[in-house]
Amino acid sequence: QFHATNGHCQVPSRSSLGQWVVRQRFLYRQYPNATKQSSLTEERITLLNDLNFPWTTRSEQLWERRISELREFKEQHNHVMVPRNYPEKPQLSAWVATQRKNYNRRQAGKTSPLTMKRIKELEDMGFVWSYWDFNFNERFNIN
């Protein structure tokens, strides 16, 4: 019914339907390795897929979109040092700054949404955590 009314399945998580959606995503991540019988059957997965049900959260979708944009940036520029003011994609430069902020929070022992898996994904692309240190080292050829 939500899909028929709204044309999508991006249900706000604060509603009871949203909590159900969160549960389905959890069960899907367990599937097919679940040790207990799950209410999420193959038939239900098919029905949800037919509605273009998003098995990932908006946050995960945003991560994938920005990582893809960062890969495109790297292909064009041969590095991932997105300028602080990048008019072609201002949302990418803001996202990069946020990742650095989240990394610094994590390094300081504070809570951060930046997981080790995501840190590795960024570092594998050549991501630099300190723009200023990198800029200084590049200018003065310090390794």
Side-chain angles (χ1 to χ4, degrees), residues 101-114:
K101 181 183 79 172
N102 288 337
Y103 180 81
N104 290 333
R105 288 184 57 77
R106 185 180 176 95
Q107 293 299 100
K110 297 178 181 173
T111 59
S112 168
L114 194 60

Side-chain angles (χ1 to χ4, degrees), residues 11-134:
V11 182
S13 60
R14 57 190 171 275
S15 67
S16 57
L17 179 58
Q19 290 304 303
W20 180 86
V21 166
V22 168
R23 178 79 179 143
Q24 301 318 297
R25 287 181 180 137
F26 172 79
L27 292 172
Y28 186 76
R29 285 188 178 102
Q30 306 301 310
Y31 190 88
N33 299 322
T35 54
K36 292 194 254 178
Q37 186 69 17
S38 173
S39 61
L40 187 63
T41 63
E42 195 71 48
E43 179 184 9
R44 286 187 179 182
I45 291 171
T46 300
L47 289 170
L48 289 167
N49 283 339
D50 289 346
L51 295 172
N52 293 319
F53 183 83
W55 293 108
T56 56
T57 65
R58 283 187 207 109
S59 174
E60 292 165 331
Q61 292 165 21
L62 178 62
W63 174 267
E64 290 304 321
R65 190 174 325 123
R66 296 294 179 253
I67 280 289
S68 177
E69 290 173 358
L70 190 59
R71 283 191 184 101
E72 289 172 16
F73 181 93
K74 184 175 183 175
E75 284 177 24
Q76 292 174 348
H77 303 282
N78 296 318
H79 62 79
V80 292
M81 293 297 296
V82 180
R84 292 179 73 169
N85 296 312
Y86 185 52
E88 291 86 356
K89 283 202 182 339
Q91 71 278 15
L92 179 60
S93 59
W95 180 82
V96 164
T98 299
Q99 301 321 303
R100 289 188 178 115
K101 181 183 79 172
N102 288 337
Y103 180 81
N104 290 333
R105 288 184 57 77
R106 185 180 176 95
Q107 293 299 100
K110 297 178 181 173
T111 59
S112 168
L114 194 60
T115 63
M116 289 305 296
K117 180 181 174 188
R118 288 180 173 183
I119 289 170
K120 181 174 178 0
E121 186 173 9
L122 288 167
E123 288 178 344
D124 286 349
M125 293 173 64
F127 196 84
V128 175
W129 296 110
S130 174
Y131 177 82
W132 299 111
D133 289 348
F134 175 81

